[in-house]
């Protein structure tokens, strides 16, 4: 099946990423990584933003309604009632030229977040981390560009996109302690690279393809391609489900160094699938 995404807003972002929908508040949120901006938009299209004055890789809602966790270049921050508080210093875990990239909460409410290089000088490098009971653990060392993360409904599988490995990986996942094992390639990306992703109630992945003008729906049974969503932006960065029925994709893209009419814009697309319930971060 083939879908065509619709333009949501003509406003452009240098590196739009980390889309998130909170059905409790009916708020959509996303970040502009390089500009250090976190955006929130209500169902009427009213927007507000918060400037962190440094790159921020991802943002997500916590169990506390209206509170967000922001993964920054030097730390993890809590944003609540327009006030930000540094929760954890990340400089012991990141090299000076690295920053946070994608981040998600797992089914137990633990924070998973990746690091990546923040310049065009150093070779791609990073790690995938998990914040578990106040301790930062390295879950997958020596990643290239740590990106999309997802867990299946049964909470026994974890999926991870390492962009410059040109693949999405599958792991066995232990809900009790958060450990992962048995890494294997679920599917490879031949054109473009796999970026952010989300998962539906049928355990199919919806993967943004950077450099591909599209989102791919992939089966977690065998990695096969089920459908595509054409997006009028070259570098599609991520997506999430939103809306009353959780059957519409909210899609981000990057406009950095691109001149296409809609590069860097936000998009939506109604699909024949429903997103899984959110995992909210436990702080």
């Amino acid at each position: 099946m083939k879908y065509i995404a619709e333009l949501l807003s003509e406003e452009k972002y240098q590196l739009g990423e980390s889309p998130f929908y909170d059905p409790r508040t009916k708020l959509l949120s996303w970040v502009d990584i390089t500009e250090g901006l976190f955006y929130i938009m209500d169902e009427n299209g009213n927007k507000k933003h918060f400037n962190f004055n440094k790159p921020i890789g991802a943002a997500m809602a916590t169990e506390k309604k209206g509170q967000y966790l922001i993964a920054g270049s030097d730390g993890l921050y809590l944003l609540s009632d327009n006030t930000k508080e540094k929760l954890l210093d990340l400089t012991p875990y990141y090299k000076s030229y690295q920053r946070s990239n994608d981040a998600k909460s797992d089914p137990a409410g633990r924070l998973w977040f990746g690091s990546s290089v923040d310049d065009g000088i150093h070779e791609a490098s990073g790690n995938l981390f998990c914040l578990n009971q106040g301790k930062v653990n390295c879950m997958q060392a020596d990643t290239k560009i740590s990106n999309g993360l997802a867990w299946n409904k049964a909470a026994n599988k974890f999926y991870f996109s390492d962009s410059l490995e040109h693949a999405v990986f599958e792991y066995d996942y232990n809900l009790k302690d958060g450990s992962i094992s048995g890494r294997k390639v679920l599917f490879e990306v031949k054109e473009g690279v796999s970026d952010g992703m989300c998962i539906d109630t049928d355990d199919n992945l919806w993967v943004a393809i950077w450099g591909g003008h599209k989102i791919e729906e992939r089966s977690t049974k065998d990695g096969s391609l089920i459908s595509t969503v054409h997006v009028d932006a070259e570098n599609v960065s991520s997506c999430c489900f939103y809306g009353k029925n959780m059957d519409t994709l909210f899609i981000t893209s990057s406009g950095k160094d691109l001149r296409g009419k809609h590069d860097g814009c936000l998009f939506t697309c109604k699909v024949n699938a429903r997103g899984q319930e959110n995992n909210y971060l436990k702080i």
Side-chain angles (χ1 to χ4, degrees), residues 125-142:
S125 66
N127 298 295
L128 176 65
F129 299 98
C130 177
L131 178 62
N132 191 353
Q133 298 182 335
K135 182 180 179 182
V136 176
N137 300 307
C138 180
M139 309 304 291
Q140 177 64 62
D142 302 322

Side-chain angles (χ1 to χ4, degrees), residues 170-223:
E170 176 189 295
Y171 299 75
D172 295 321
Y173 168 73
N174 186 314
L175 176 64
K176 184 176 181 180
D177 63 12
S179 61
I180 54 176
S181 60
R183 166 174 155 135
K184 67 178 184 180
V185 173
L186 178 63
F187 65 89
E188 295 180 336
V189 178
K190 303 297 184 181
E191 297 180 4
V193 298
S194 56
D195 207 314
M197 64 187 180
C198 59
I199 193 166
D200 65 27
T201 54
D202 293 321
D203 283 339
N204 294 322
L205 297 172
W206 296 75
V207 186
I209 305 299
W210 181 277
H213 287 274
K214 63 184 175 179
I215 302 284
E216 291 186 348
E217 180 189 7
R218 293 278 190 158
S219 170
T220 55
K221 295 177 181 177
D222 57 11

Side-chain angles (χ1 to χ4, degrees), residues 18-39:
S18 191
F20 189 95
Y21 177 66
D22 190 342
R24 303 171 302 178
T25 59
K26 296 182 172 60
L27 294 175
L28 283 167
S29 62
W30 66 96
V31 303
D32 189 329
I33 293 179
T34 54
E35 298 298 302
L37 298 171
F38 170 59
Y39 291 85

Side-chain angles (χ1 to χ4, degrees), residues 3-280:
Y3 303 94
I4 298 177
E6 297 180 358
L7 186 68
L8 176 64
S9 169
E10 292 190 353
E11 184 175 1
K12 295 193 171 192
Y13 302 92
Q14 279 289 298
L15 185 45
E17 250 286 6
S18 191
F20 189 95
Y21 177 66
D22 190 342
R24 303 171 302 178
T25 59
K26 296 182 172 60
L27 294 175
L28 283 167
S29 62
W30 66 96
V31 303
D32 189 329
I33 293 179
T34 54
E35 298 298 302
L37 298 171
F38 170 59
Y39 291 85
I40 298 175
M41 182 171 68
D42 67 22
E43 55 187 336
N44 296 316
N46 300 308
K47 294 195 294 285
K48 60 181 178 179
H49 69 269
F50 302 87
N51 193 342
F52 280 75
N53 297 307
K54 62 189 70 176
I56 51 176
M60 75 199 72
T62 72
E63 277 192 321
K64 182 180 178 181
K65 192 184 298 185
Q67 183 183 68
Y68 291 86
L69 184 286
I70 313 294
S73 57
D74 64 343
L76 300 176
Y77 295 84
L78 283 178
L79 181 65
S80 184
D81 298 324
N82 298 330
T83 300
K84 61 183 179 182
E85 169 193 356
K86 195 170 189 178
L87 179 68
L88 180 69
D89 181 14
L90 291 178
T91 54
Y93 308 100
Y94 292 0
K95 296 177 181 177
S96 61
Y97 50 85
Q98 293 177 331
R99 60 160 171 82
S100 296
N101 204 42
D102 211 348
K104 288 276 181 73
S105 174
D106 74 5
R110 308 176 187 96
L111 174 67
W112 291 62
F113 61 100
S115 58
S116 67
V117 170
D118 195 37
D119 59 32
I121 302 171
H122 295 88
E123 184 179 350
S125 66
N127 298 295
L128 176 65
F129 299 98
C130 177
L131 178 62
N132 191 353
Q133 298 182 335
K135 182 180 179 182
V136 176
N137 300 307
C138 180
M139 309 304 291
Q140 177 64 62
D142 302 322
T143 60
K144 297 297 184 183
I145 299 181
S146 179
N147 252 311
L149 309 97
W151 291 261
N152 67 347
K153 282 192 302 183
N156 60 10
K157 295 291 182 181
F158 167 61
Y159 306 100
F160 173 57
S161 167
D162 190 343
S163 295
L164 290 188
E165 294 288 356
H166 297 275
V168 169
F169 297 91
E170 176 189 295
Y171 299 75
D172 295 321
Y173 168 73
N174 186 314
L175 176 64
K176 184 176 181 180
D177 63 12
S179 61
I180 54 176
S181 60
R183 166 174 155 135
K184 67 178 184 180
V185 173
L186 178 63
F187 65 89
E188 295 180 336
V189 178
K190 303 297 184 181
E191 297 180 4
V193 298
S194 56
D195 207 314
M197 64 187 180
C198 59
I199 193 166
D200 65 27
T201 54
D202 293 321
D203 283 339
N204 294 322
L205 297 172
W206 296 75
V207 186
I209 305 299
W210 181 277
H213 287 274
K214 63 184 175 179
I215 302 284
E216 291 186 348
E217 180 189 7
R218 293 278 190 158
S219 170
T220 55
K221 295 177 181 177
D222 57 11
S224 60
L225 180 65
I226 300 171
S227 67
T228 59
V229 180
H230 174 76
V231 183
D232 189 27
E234 181 176 341
N235 291 336
V236 186
S237 55
S238 194
C239 58
C240 72
F241 284 96
Y242 81 106
K244 181 179 179 180
N245 297 317
M246 293 292 283
D247 61 353
T248 304
L249 290 175
F250 173 49
I251 302 165
T252 54
S253 71
S254 171
K256 186 177 181 181
D257 300 327
L258 297 174
R259 296 184 179 180
K261 183 177 181 180
H262 297 136
D263 288 323
C265 291
L266 303 174
F267 301 84
T268 67
C269 187
K270 191 176 185 303
V271 297
N272 293 329
R274 293 192 177 193
Q276 288 190 25
E277 291 185 10
N278 283 339
N279 298 323
Y280 294 108

